[in-house]
Each structure stands twice: as C-alpha cells, then as structure tokens.
Amino acid sequence: MTASRVLVLNSGSSSVKYQLLDMRDNSRLAAGLVERIGERTSRLKHTPLAAGGEAREWNGPIADHDAALKAVAEELAKDGLGLDSPELAAIGHRVVHGGQTFTRPTVIDDAVLAEIERLIPVAPLHNPANLTGIRTARALRPDLPQIAVFDTAFHTTMPESAARYAIDVETADAHRIRRYGFHGTSHAYVSRATAELLGKAPEEVNVIVLHLGNGASASAVRGGVCVDTSMGLTPLEGLVMGTRSGDTDPAVIFHLARVGNMSIDEIDTLLNKKSGLIGLCGDNDMREIRRRIDEGDARAELAFDIYIHRLKKYIGAYCAVLGRVDAVAFTAGVGENSAEVRAAAVAGLETLGLAVDDALNAVRGDEPRLISPPDARVAVAVVPTDEELEIATQTYALVERTN
Ligand code: AMP
C-alpha cells in the first residue's frame, strides 16, 4: 500500500495543534491539541476520529515541544496510527512567515530551516515556535519528508503596487518592510472552493475573501491569483479583529510614546492584544457582543459598528481593485457563523451588486452555500475554511510530485 497519511502540525509558542488525514478520501483520522507547554498545567486533548472514539484528555506538566510531540505520537500509536507507520507519507508544517523567498510549499532541509530562521526578525512571535515544531518532528522521523506550508505564500503574487508601503525604498528594503499578508492557506482554499461552488474554474472568477475569525483579513483574488490583502508586514494591519486594532494612523504610535510615555513593547501589546473588539467593548467573541447588543448595550453596539464600517471599506476597496467581482465569500468563526455580520457587511451595497437573502443567510450548515438572492449580480457565499486540509493537500501533492 502506498503511504497516504499526512500529519499536519501547527506549532505555537506554547501549543501544538495537529490533525492526521488520509489523503485517499481527505478523511480525518485524528485531531488534537497540546496546550500550555512548559507550564505545570499542560493539557493534551486527543480525538481518535477514525475509531469514532471519545476524546481523551491528559493533564500534567509537558516540559517542551519535544515532550509534547512524543505525547501526541503515543496517543496516535494507541489507535494504530503511530508516527512510525509506513502509511505516514509526510508531515506538513504550518509556517507563518515565508517572506519573499517561499512562494510555494517547500520540502524542509537544513537550508530551508536556515532561511525560516533568517525571517525571524519579521515574524518574531511565530517563526521561532514553528521552527521548534519542525526541528522536533525531524528528530523524531528524520527519514520522513517534512513540508513547510507558508501563511504568506498565497500573497506573494501581489503586484508591487499593493505589496509596497509608500515609505523610503532603501529603508524599506534594508529591513524587508513590505506587505506580506497572512491566512494565505485559508484565502487559497476558500477562493478555490468559492469558484467550485459557482461551478467555475478558479481562473474564471474574481473573488473577495473575508476571513473573519479572531484574527481577520480580506483578500482580493483575481482568477485564482491574490492581488491584494489586508494584513501587511505583520497581522496587525487591516480589519478590526478580536484583539488587534487593524488600520490606525501610524502616528498613534508616536503619540502614545511621546505623550502617553508608553514603551514600544507596551504599545505593541496594546495594539495586538488589547485593541480591536476587546479594546472597544471588553469582549472579543462576536456571540457575546451580539447578546449584549440585544440587551441594549451601547458600547457593544459601537464596537460592532466600527467592525462593520471597516469591513465595508475593504469590500468597497477590493471591488475597485478587482474591477469585476463575481463573488464575496465569508469564512472563519465569525464569517461562517454570524448572519448579523454578513447582513450588516453588505447592507447598502446594492449599487455594487451585493445583497443577501435573509432566509438563505439564516440557514446554518457546514457546507459551502450561496446566501445572495438568486438574481444577484455578485454571488455572496459562506464557505467554511479548512486550513488543515489545505496544508495536507499541498503537502501530499508535493510529496507525490517529488516521489
Ligand atoms: P476563529 O479564529 O476562526 O476560530 O474564530 C473565532 C471567533 O469566531 C470567536 O472569537 C467568535 O467571535 C466567533 N464565533 C464563533 N462561533 C460563533 C457564532 N456561533 N456566532 C458568532 N460568532 C462566532
């Protein structure tokens, strides 16, 4: 039997998320999460999906990523899915920042590791953790192909006009300052799935993808190729997010430093962790914000209005960038679940050909679906994202090509 399983690893600074997929039918064999690595209260939650089994939970200290991955391997082995299985074809790693170097999934070798390391200054929060996960997995299975799938890769097609900030070119280049964009695997997956929903090839359609989760980003995709996205050098730019401000006047930072006497680290924390919805109203969960609005809470309502105002501006901007828009696709936690956000985001945009049908918008489900009226000029869709499947698909395709 040829090896058909792919393990997808998403290593954060203190967590590892994983899924084991069988690429013959894209089925999920197991999924899980190790949290609070390095603390006394670490937790491993493992769900053996193939066996239809109950989730198993383990609580206790897990010292580092090495111990975490070994614990995951043990859990997988209990269901006959161990990492030593000949059916495991590869491990696919989510890597947040691939800079301008990595435009596609890449087989990891020492040179690739060195380049991901070189990119740490532009991704100080994410790439070190991703590297730790890769090194640990390589030590465990040195013979197995390990593939890096980059969050930035889908956006490397952006033209210079969209990718560059209007700041001094020499300074920008010296520090690799440009707009990279993130959530690329999601934007790639959802733009393709939207074309499929319309019964068209990706090359035939122009799509605006709205990835609205706790982190949020929009992208303009022309014929399957990304031409603009709302996140920039870091995931801080663009839409209002759960805890990130998105776009602000950069002079806010000078002002906080000079007048507010805040340090750069304090401002970093403010804009990344204490802003967005949580900064505006104290909650970052859209369900809670809607519940408060229903109770007449003015602060929650203002936070919602600011969130929607920004979203609308990006929809309008990307209509202008694309010229012709065939579809707008909502995805991720908020985009897939909040009918209120979807309705508010396109309200009043009829002149752009955008509208939702209230009955269709209210339908819940896990499948891609249209929510625009049947005669709409632009299709509005809900397209659940699946970043793990996209990473596994890209990983497996590369392994098959190189075999
Ligand atoms: P994600 O980052 O894609 O996992 O999205 C997480 C966010 O989705 C949460 O913080 C909530 O704001 C939002 N969310 C999840 N479920 C719902 C729901 N049923 N209705 C509205 N928002 C939701």
Side-chain angles (χ1 to χ4, degrees):
M1 184 194 287
T2 53
S4 62
R5 292 181 192 154
V6 172
L7 178 67
V8 175
L9 285 183
N10 182 353
S11 308
S13 56
S14 65
S15 70
V16 177
K17 280 192 215 140
Y18 62 93
Q19 282 194 10
L20 183 68
L21 293 96
D22 189 333
M23 302 317 292
R24 284 173 303 188
D25 57 1
N26 293 347
S27 62
R28 252 155 272 244
L29 305 174
L33 167 71
V34 189
E35 288 175 294
R36 297 193 290 274
I37 297 170
E39 294 178 34
R40 301 190 57 77
T41 57
S42 317
R43 185 174 82 126
L44 190 166
K45 189 173 176 193
H46 176 87
T47 310
L49 297 160
E54 295 267 302
R56 299 193 288 265
E57 217 177 288
W58 187 89
N59 293 281
I62 296 179
D64 50 27
H65 281 72
D66 188 40
L69 205 56
K70 281 184 179 142
V72 170
E74 273 175 36
E75 288 302 325
L76 288 167
K78 285 182 193 165
D79 303 308
L81 301 169
L83 295 191
D84 51 356
S85 165
E87 289 177 49
L88 187 61
I91 299 181
H93 295 268
R94 175 186 183 222
V95 180
V96 167
H97 216 307
Q100 286 182 274
T101 316
F102 298 111
T103 59
R104 51 177 64 88
T106 304
V107 179
I108 297 166
D109 57 20
D110 290 343
V112 169
L113 273 182
E115 181 61 17
I116 296 172
E117 194 155 8
R118 204 179 66 88
L119 290 164
I120 286 177
V122 285
L125 297 180
H126 295 104
N127 275 25
N130 301 156
L131 276 168
T132 305
I134 294 171
R135 289 203 175 100
T136 309
R138 281 183 100 201
L140 223 54
R141 279 296 306 269
D143 54 316
L144 196 68
Q146 313 246 350
I147 312 296
V149 179
F150 298 91
D151 247 23
T152 46
F154 184 63
H155 306 302
T156 54
T157 50
M158 284 196 291
E160 286 294 284
S161 53
R164 278 202 178 267
Y165 293 105
I167 62 176
D168 173 71
V169 172
E170 279 76 31
T171 307
D173 288 351
H175 298 286
R176 281 177 280 171
I177 293 171
R178 59 190 279 119
R179 308 191 57 257
Y180 295 99
F182 299 88
H183 291 144
T185 46
S186 179
H187 287 284
Y189 177 86
V190 171
S191 56
R192 250 196 355 260
T194 305
E196 200 173 306
L197 180 67
L198 300 182
K200 301 240 169 90
E203 298 74 35
E204 294 176 286
V205 293
N206 295 348
V207 186
I208 297 173
V209 178
L210 303 171
H211 177 112
L212 310 177
N214 197 35
S217 62
S219 68
V221 183
R222 178 181 289 133
V225 174
C226 179
V227 292
D228 204 353
T229 194
S230 59
M231 285 177 167
L233 173 73
T234 77
L236 183 56
E237 191 180 342
L239 299 172
V240 176
M241 312 184 206
T243 67
R244 295 188 196 119
S245 62
D247 297 336
T248 52
D249 180 343
V252 167
I253 296 165
F254 318 144
H255 187 80
L256 288 172
R258 290 185 186 128
V259 181
N261 284 322
M262 289 176 74
S263 70
I264 288 295
D265 285 343
E266 284 169 339
I267 300 170
D268 190 333
T269 303
L270 176 83
L271 295 181
N272 272 297
K273 305 233 167 87
K274 297 181 180 170
S275 296
L277 293 170
I278 207 157
L280 289 166
C281 74
D283 273 307
N284 63 333
D285 191 312
M286 193 53 82
R287 286 165 288 199
E288 189 56 20
I289 291 170
R290 289 304 314 176
R291 195 192 59 71
R292 284 173 55 187
I293 292 172
D294 289 344
E295 288 177 352
D297 184 321
R299 245 181 102 186
E301 186 156 13
L302 179 60
F304 185 82
D305 290 348
I306 295 170
Y307 182 94
I308 296 297
H309 180 72
R310 185 81 52 83
L311 192 52
K312 270 194 167 145
K313 290 215 291 196
Y314 271 93
I315 294 172
Y318 288 174
C319 285
V321 166
L322 289 170
R324 188 199 84 222
V325 180
D326 300 297
V328 173
F330 286 89
T331 195
V334 176
E336 290 168 30
N337 293 299
S338 178
E340 293 97 341
V341 165
R342 296 190 299 256
V346 301
L349 301 186
E350 293 80 7
T351 50
L352 296 175
L354 288 166
V356 297
D357 176 289
D358 289 339
L360 292 175
N361 189 30
V363 175
R364 302 189 64 84
D366 299 330
E367 295 297 316
R369 56 195 183 275
L370 291 173
I371 57 169
S372 41
D375 58 345
R377 191 148 49 86
V378 179
V380 181
V382 180
V383 180
T385 192
D386 196 336
E387 291 170 270
E388 287 78 14
L389 176 59
E390 180 67 19
I391 291 172
T393 304
Q394 292 191 17
T395 296
Y396 195 59
L398 180 54
V399 171
E400 292 239 284
R401 272 203 306 278
T402 46
N403 268 347

